[in-house]
Structures are given as structure tokens and as C-alpha cells.
Amino acid sequence: MTTATPSTLESLNPATGESIGSVPITPAETINDVVSRGREAQVAWGAMSLTERINLIRPAAEAIKARSNEIGALMTSEMGKPIAEGEGEVDYAAAGLPGLLDSIASALEPEHLDDGRTETDLYYDPFGVCGVITPWNFPFLMPQQTVIPALVAGNTVVMKPSEETPLVGQAFADVYNEFLPEGVLQIIHGDEAQGKALVKSDVNLIAFVGSRAAGQHILESAGGDLKRVILELGGKDPMIVLDDADLESAADFAAMNSFRNCGQVCVSTERIYVQEGIANDFEQALLERVKDLKVGDGTDTTTRIGPMVSQQQKEMVLAQLETAKQQGATVAHGDVPMDGNYVAPTVLTGLDHSMNIMRDETFGPIACVMRVKDEGEAVKLANDTPYGLGAVVFGSDADRAKGVARQLTAGMVGINQGCGGAKGAPWVGAQQSGYGFHGGVHGHRQFTQVRIVSTPKD
Ligand code: NAD
């Protein structure tokens, strides 16, 4: 949790409430100057070849790897996730960087078309300056997935990390700036006010990861100038457990993905639809796993669930839980009061779709299990939200599970596993979970302006 003073943003450890450091807030009225510096730097950066830019960025992988323990520990003390997950996030970013750079390079190579009458060269050019605005739940990985495609494409970047994780955001910028020319990657600090000022500034492209409400506001604000926007937003991911599913692995997945990072993951399992015939056994298997989840300070290596990022986030989750109970949900496990920013992992049953908790994003450690009579009902309910980020289907008949998957409105569906795809697959939210996306050939190209130059063929 952080508190803002007029000139500094103080970062508080959500497990202890203690201050762990601060950063200067960037006055909103100076953000245009920051963007102007980015525009000056873009001239030389954009004139480099793809290979030259990539060669400058590539050594950052080793530097990130060398600092993964330090930055992972900082992440745990700044936003609460268990230490292995914090270090794991930074290691994952380091390990993934070379492949990410190679896949962007191949996606952005110019193309040549020839129809016998006209020859056309197709270029993936930079837009100019890109504003990147990111959340706190994956405070190293989210900047990496948006800043790197923007930079490699030849844009310069002004990034604004979440006000909840300014120190990890600063560590991200510092490690990359060891390798980048001045002005290519700049960081500003602050909250929504700085985010809004960055959107209103002279940037050409906004790459945003965060809530649906903020995304709607950004789209509206950027629309006046027809700025390009890439919005990766929240979700309400369903899990469908078919009656031929392997119950042990379905329960393992549900327990892991409902509670990982204290439920503060955009693709957390927020709703579970289980066929009636296997519902008792599935619920039993899930409850057995949830009662073993240890809640505590993320620095303790036995902790599975850390604190929520802030008191405000805790209050939002508890308010949703209270409403669900008033609307008739049954608490099958959890819902015990906890001190500080902790929330007990909770399992709700006896649910139906008139309840808000089945349709609004929770972003907390609550698993909602609802019984359905068949896969048709499961699909109908799974699609009954404005969101469309991820979804999972558990079932042992591959054709049947895939048939269910193809009826879901989510952008990413996993069968008997999480929703993230193979290397090279995009990270894509459908419906109101996304407007544009990153990753894969199609995602990388969204950070570029396509241009063509054609000549007649003799
Ligand atoms: P948030 O929208 O409150 O804030 C995200 C960032 O936007 C912060 O840096 C904040 O300061 C800034 N901001 C807020 N309002 C703004 C506005 N009107 N204009 C410009 N900037 C603004 O989200 P959060 O609480 O930090 O993160 C949690 C949300 O992010 C959840 O909804 C989660 O699902 C989503 N998320 C999505 C993905 C994805 O890949 N789709 C990944 C991670 C998180």
C-alpha cells in the first residue's frame, strides 16, 4: 500500500504497513516536457535498424537475471506476493527476453509483395512516443510485455508504473537504462492524475494494462486526438469442469489459480461451473486443498497467500463477499476475519447468476463454485459477463472439451491447463477485456504504423 504526499510517493509494505522507500511524484504539468524529450530521442532511436536496437537491449537479460533475488524481494515487500513468486516473475522476464526480442524481430521485418503489375514494400514503422501505463499485480512483467515491443519497434517510451509499486517500476527502468541511450525509456511517477496527464499529452500510442473502468476512460480521452491505444483489461475468468474431467487435476488447478497472488491475477479463476454429477466430489477435493493454503508474510517461504496489496483492495473484496452472502451464497470455507491486509482464502457455493459476485471482477482470494446441469448451461453462464479474457475447460474427451472451448467468448482458452498459449501465441482479451493486445506476430505489429511504398513493374 502506498500513500501520496504532495511531492513524494511513499511505498508501504502491505504485510507490515512499514515504509520501504519513496519516489518523487512527477508534477502532471511537466509530463509534456518529458514526452518532448522522448520525441527528440526517438529521431536517432527510430533511425537505427531493428538489429541495432535489439543488440542494445539483449544484454539486459543477464542483468535482470543477476538482480532477480533483489528485485523479487523488493516486489514481495512492495506488493506482498510470496517471495518465490516475486523472484519467479523476474526470472521469467529475464529468461523470456531473448525469445521475445527474436519474435519481435521476425514480426517486424519489412515485406515485399509482387502481383506481376506492381511491386510493394511493406514497412512496420514506429509511431513515435509511446506512453505505457501498468498495474501493480505483475509489476515487472507487465512493463516488460509492453515496453519492449514498443522500444524494439523504434518508439521511445514514457512509462508510468502503478502508484502501488513505484520502486519495482523504478528498478525496471533502471536495469534497462543501463543499456539504452538517454531519453529512450523515461519513467514518471504518480497515480491516476499522472496517468491521465500522460494520456492527454503529445504521445502517439498508449499501451495500458489495468482495470476495465480505467481502460474505458483512456479510450474516451485518447479518442479526441485519434491516438492509437492498446488496452489489456480485467477479466472474470470461468473454469468449466465437465463430468468426464480428472477431478484431482481439476481441483489442483482450481486451488492454484483461484488463490495465486492472493487472487490478484487478471486470469485468476473467478468462477467455477461444475456438472452436477461430479459436483460433490469436486467440491470436496477443492476444500481439502484450500484448507492447506498458508496465509502470511510473503517473505516466509512456506507462505502460499500473502496480504492483499492494500487496505482499499481488501475492503473491496470483503464488500463483494458480504453482498454475495446477503444474496444467498453459502460459505463452504474461509470468510474468517484477519488482521492487516490479509483475507482468508474463501470458497463459496450455492451460487447463481443473479448474484453480483458471478459477474463482477473480484481480484481477491475467493473461489466461486456453481453447479450446472450440462455443458450447454456451463457455456451460457460462462459467457454471461461483459469480460472475455481467459477461460479453462477440464474434461478428458479432447473433442468434447475443444467443442466447449470454441463456444466461449474468451480470447484465451486452456484445456486441462491455464489459458496462456504456446510460445509465440498472443496474450489477448476479447470483448471488454481488451482493445488491441500484445504478444505474437499480431500483437507485436500493433506497436507499429504499417506503411507501403509501391512501384509499377516493367
Ligand atoms: P487500475 O486500472 O486501477 O490502474 C492501472 C494503472 O493505470 C495504474 O498505473 C494507475 O495509476 C493508472 N490509472 C488509473 N486510472 C487511470 C486513468 N483514468 N487514466 C490513466 N491512467 C490511469 O488497475 P490496477 O488496480 O492497478 O490493476 C488491476 C487491474 O488490472 C485488474 O482489473 C486486472 O484484471 C487488470 N490486469 C489486466 C491484465 C491483462 O493482461 N489483461 C494484466 C494485469 C492486470
Side-chain angles (χ1 to χ4, degrees):
M1 189 181 85
T2 56
T3 52
T5 62
S7 59
T8 60
L9 186 57
E10 202 181 337
S11 188
L12 304 183
N13 183 332
T16 63
E18 288 161 6
S19 171
I20 59 162
S22 64
V23 292
I25 291 176
T26 309
E29 62 278 10
T30 66
I31 289 174
N32 270 328
D33 297 337
V34 178
V35 173
S36 297
R37 285 197 289 278
R39 192 164 302 288
E40 282 162 27
Q42 199 275 330
V43 177
W45 181 247
M48 285 182 190
S49 70
L50 259 178
T51 311
E52 284 171 320
R53 288 194 290 267
I54 285 175
N55 287 345
L56 282 174
I57 297 172
R58 200 177 287 279
E62 279 304 313
I64 295 167
K65 195 167 154 209
R67 291 185 60 190
S68 69
N69 291 355
E70 175 205 332
I71 300 175
L74 178 65
M75 197 181 298
T76 295
S77 58
E78 190 164 47
M79 57 70 69
K81 73 173 61 170
I83 185 82
E85 292 178 34
E87 290 175 3
E89 179 177 333
V90 185
D91 277 336
Y92 181 82
L97 183 60
L100 177 63
L101 295 172
D102 292 340
S103 71
I104 302 171
S106 63
L108 303 193
E109 272 303 323
E111 291 169 40
H112 185 75
L113 309 172
D114 183 343
D115 67 3
R117 298 176 59 182
T118 299
E119 283 193 75
T120 295
D121 289 313
L122 187 154
Y123 302 97
Y124 296 101
D125 283 347
F127 281 111
V129 185
C130 174
V132 168
I133 303 174
T134 46
W136 45 264
N137 64 335
F138 287 91
F140 200 91
L141 200 57
M142 288 302 109
Q144 167 137 324
Q145 307 292 49
T146 39
V147 167
I148 299 305
L151 288 180
V152 175
N155 304 287
T156 53
V157 168
V158 177
M159 65 176 278
K160 193 204 84 63
S162 168
E163 58 273 33
E164 301 288 356
T165 50
L167 300 181
V168 174
Q170 187 65 52
F172 174 91
D174 288 348
V175 74
Y176 276 104
N177 271 326
E178 287 171 28
F179 304 96
L180 293 168
E182 203 177 329
V184 166
L185 172 61
Q186 300 180 84
I187 184 166
I188 60 172
H189 287 293
D191 58 16
E192 186 180 324
Q194 279 67 23
K196 285 178 174 164
L198 183 58
V199 172
K200 270 282 165 220
S201 74
D202 187 31
V203 289
N204 306 92
L205 167 71
I206 317 280
F208 172 80
V209 185
S211 62
R212 181 170 65 126
Q216 285 166 325
H217 186 273
I218 288 170
L219 191 57
E220 204 176 321
S221 169
D225 304 320
L226 292 177
K227 281 181 186 131
R228 302 305 191 258
V229 291
I230 300 171
L231 306 175
E232 312 228 26
L233 309 175
K236 184 72 187 168
D237 285 15
M239 170 180 184
I240 294 177
V241 188
L242 298 172
D243 54 10
D244 63 348
D246 175 335
L247 284 191
E248 295 300 310
S249 57
D252 281 345
F253 180 83
M256 183 279 293
N257 207 47
S258 302
F259 299 106
R260 178 167 68 107
N261 203 10
C262 204
Q264 303 166 122
V265 179
C266 54
V267 291
S268 281
T269 295
E270 295 228 346
R271 314 172 272 153
I272 303 168
Y273 301 101
V274 54
Q275 278 196 258
E276 276 162 0
I278 52 158
N280 283 340
D281 291 344
F282 173 80
E283 284 175 12
Q284 195 53 41
L286 176 61
L287 291 172
E288 272 163 26
R289 285 155 176 79
V290 178
K291 70 177 169 23
D292 290 339
L293 294 174
K294 188 175 164 214
V295 180
D297 190 321
T299 53
D300 178 342
T301 52
T302 62
T303 290
R304 292 284 311 283
I305 301 188
M308 303 221 65
V309 71
S310 65
Q311 186 67 30
Q312 190 197 8
Q313 202 68 24
K314 172 175 175 168
E315 280 163 15
M316 276 164 46
V317 169
L318 292 185
Q320 257 200 28
L321 190 52
E322 200 47 48
T323 306
K325 286 190 289 178
Q326 281 165 14
Q327 292 176 335
T330 304
V331 176
H333 179 85
D335 186 33
V336 289
M338 296 196 80
D339 291 339
N341 290 342
Y342 293 100
V343 173
T346 296
V347 178
L348 297 181
T349 55
L351 297 152
D352 67 58
H353 262 235
S354 68
M355 300 175 183
N356 301 39
I357 202 151
M358 296 306 283
R359 304 183 78 248
D360 299 338
E361 185 177 38
T362 303
F363 227 54
I366 301 179
C368 296
V369 187
M370 179 172 170
R371 297 176 178 217
V372 291
K373 62 177 183 317
D374 55 27
E375 58 200 64
E377 187 183 10
V379 167
K380 188 163 161 260
L381 294 173
N383 289 341
D384 182 32
T385 77
Y387 292 105
L389 192 54
V392 299
V393 180
F394 272 73
S396 52
D397 176 335
D399 288 341
R400 181 183 176 210
K402 203 162 196 174
V404 170
R406 290 294 295 138
Q407 295 175 66
L408 297 176
T409 49
M412 301 177 283
V413 186
I415 296 176
N416 297 325
Q417 63 168 32
C419 69
K423 220 184 230 173
W427 184 260
V428 51
Q431 305 208 112
Q432 294 187 25
S433 287
Y435 191 94
F437 56 91
H438 75 251
V441 174
H442 307 94
H444 298 328
R445 290 178 178 165
Q446 293 183 29
F447 292 82
T448 68
Q449 173 64 56
V450 178
R451 289 199 175 88
I452 60 168
V453 177
S454 300
T455 49
K457 235 182 145 183
D458 299 331

